[in-house]
Amino acid sequence: MAETLLALHGLRKSFGGLLVTDDVTLDVRQGEIHALIGPNGAGKTTLIHQVSGTLAPDAGRIRFLGEDITTLSMPARARRGLARSFQITSVVPSFSALENAALAVQARRGSSLRFFRAASREAALNAEAMDALAEVGLDARAATPAAALSHGERRQLEIAIALAMQPRALLLDEPLAGTGPEEAERLIRLLSGLRARYAVLLVEHDMQAVFALADRISVLAQGRVIATGTPDQIRADAAVREAYLGEDEAA
Amino acid sequence: MRNPRLWLPLLVFVALAAAPFLGLGQGHSLTLLARGMIFGLAAVSLMLLVGGAGLVSLGHAAMMGMGAYAVVVLDHAGLTEAWMVFPAGILAAALFALLTGAIAIRTSGVHFIMITLAFGQMAFFTTSSLAVYGGDDGYTLFSRTEVFGARWLENRLVFHFVCLGALVACWALVQTLLESRFGRVLRASRENETRARALGFNPTPYRLLAYVIAGAMGGLAGVLLANATEFVAPAYLAWQRSGDLLFMVILGGLAGPHGALVGALAFVLVEEWLSHAMEHWRLVFGPLLILCVFFLRGGIVGLLRRG
Amino acid sequence: MNTTLLLVQALNGLQFGVLLFLVAAGLTLVFGVMDFINLAHGVQYMVGAYLGATLTALTGSFWLGLLLALPAALVFGLVLEFLVFRHLYDRDHLSQVLATFGVILFLNEGVKVVFGAAPMQMPVPELLSGGVPLMDGLLYPTYRLAILAAGLATAALLWFLVERTRAGMLVRAGATNAPMVAALGVDIRRLFMLVFGFGAMLAGFAGVMAAPILSVEPGMGDNLLILAFVVIVIGGIGSVRGAFIAALLVGLVETIGRGLMPDLMRLFMDASSARQTGAALASMLVYIVMAAILAFRPAGLFPARA
């Protein structure tokens, strides 16, 4: 069985009186896409925030590559190889697509306490950045400022940046959000190809994408994991169907 | 930020170098130009903070003040050698920046603005209460800084080119820093701090370093200012002076450090002209400032580029 | 430093703190609800003082002057809001700082043009002149006690308004999360005008009260403004309760510090050095306290925002 890279044990998080994450335990293995689904308000994004380091859990532990990272800051987790993409695109608007990716490369290659050379002319950084852009199909738009990219292109850039970090695990928060059918298909093909190199925790609402991509699915409802299994197992699970009763399953 | 954008700053430097020989060689004009260049230096350093790191410091005058008062302290002790005075001024300001920055940088947004204002005020009151250095009335230097005993800096022309040299060096430094890896992290953190952190960057040490570097350059400007006026007073650290510096930065536009330089020169010239034209010139200056904020987005440099 | 002197200093400190609170309260709410950094709040205080002094001289009565000065200060504040401030709400902080800085330059000079640069005098009202015997040999000025009382009463009123009325609840909600309140259908602009107007009146009120004991001169609001900023930073932005506690703290530290420091220094050095070092240290004291508090609580003591 493949190595477990990311493991969550008994995570718990409350906001005031509201329990948003309730004893969540799941793991993500090397080479798998583990999808996290659930009705609106289930607490998926809050969970991703806790894994990436934006929010601190009230209880529970997170292990990554064998190390307990529960108390580490977001930058520290990123440096250890845990990359995250955001549900609402988060890029540096005035930087070009290339420079956005180059910044990600710079984060892991050597020191950023370099003061005299122009970073934009560092061939090594640019080459790796270009590779990441090419992988998502954005290399033709490398010189375009991120603010001028279309929404779908920015979603692609979001993934390119995560790839440029050369992480061990990817946390993808609704990468298909707001994309049209053509762009979605392109992204699905791209994500499918990522499987081999990383461990991927994928939060998505698009059920077609989830069932096409996922090796395993965990279903989150009211902060708890109510089922974990292969897509077929999840499809057949009564509790899952009950949780989604009344919810519109995306066609 | 490469070649095409360098014509404006180079033009300005050439103009400043040629100015004494083009009819602006009298004492009064040279003094005015020196003032413009000194504040230009300070404004350029502030631009590193504001335009680069996104840190709006309302206490930068205190950095200049640290440099100026370092000159005073050494002058009082009879020490006027350049190799002592310049480093002392720069280090004093850098140290002040490090100590206050360590607290201030942990905050952001309006907190940061208010805290830098407060620390600047602290420096102002402290210098006001030091009667041995003149207190509120200020301190007249016994002499300008000497270079191995030679009073070169008292020659207005020499001083002009010393200021110009310092200005060009600092402008080049800020320009280089902004384009470096270090500057890239600063700029990314300014525009999207979440993204920078998600990549593995902790902005705080970079910002603190920028704050100290800017402070050190402010200190250099302060040393030059003390020499220019041969007089130093707590008023140099007044928060209104910090406000003036911010205005210079925004007046020029944030496209590059040369904007701050252009803004400073424009500010000094307008202030000089207005204050001679009318007694209550601030009645005009205040609304002028407001109108600039309302309508002159992108600053003078932005206007030139569009025009 | 004997007990009598200490008591006087403490009372002076509280009285100063109460004045600071009146200025800071408006500032913190304006910043909390509208994310608007208003450097010109200090001139509001100055204008209040000038209005109070002028109207008192015109009417011959302190009370009439006070009564007329308050609405006048309110109107003045609303005019400023209309002409300058409302164009800045959507702008970045740097623009707000610079534009309000321009307002300060203009008004400080304007007051000089209209009233002259020399300080204006405003007499303490007949009713409140004289002193109150607090202790053996201690006659404390009645007027200062009145300021303390008026300030505390206003603080109580403010507490009541903010904590117990519907408008106050909206203000508190706005200070915590303004976009949310707007999204809930509340007219956030009108709410803000209410907050702003009230804050302007408070600052003006503080100015009128302070006028008889401080000198009414151009720029009198500037230093107070900066201390008000320190108060807000310590107290937590958007929090009236924080502003109250921080204001009293700052008032006491400032006043007692200035009194105590030179004496403290005399334990270690001779009289003249002690006076100088003491004065220098006293100047730094408030800021050192601020830095110490921020080191542990970067968002202040009672931040309104999460």
Side-chain angles (χ1 to χ4, degrees), chain A residues 79 90 94 109 119 122 158, chain B residues 179 181 191-192 195 200:
Chain A
R79 287 194 296 269
S90 181
S94 76
R109 261 190 83 121
E122 284 197 52
E158 187 82 16
Chain B
E179 294 183 358
R181 285 197 181 201
E191 278 190 63
N192 190 339
R195 172 43 74 190

Side-chain angles (χ1 to χ4, degrees), chain B residues 47-57 109 112 186-187 190 207:
Chain B
M47 185 269 170
L48 174 65
L49 289 182
V50 175
L55 298 171
V56 178
S57 167
F112 181 78
L186 276 184
R187 288 182 290 124
R190 168 176 54 88
R207 288 177 173 160

Side-chain angles (χ1 to χ4, degrees), chain C residues 124-136:
Chain C
V124 174
E126 224 12 87
L127 191 65
L128 297 175
S129 59
V132 170
L134 288 180
M135 257 170 60
D136 241 356

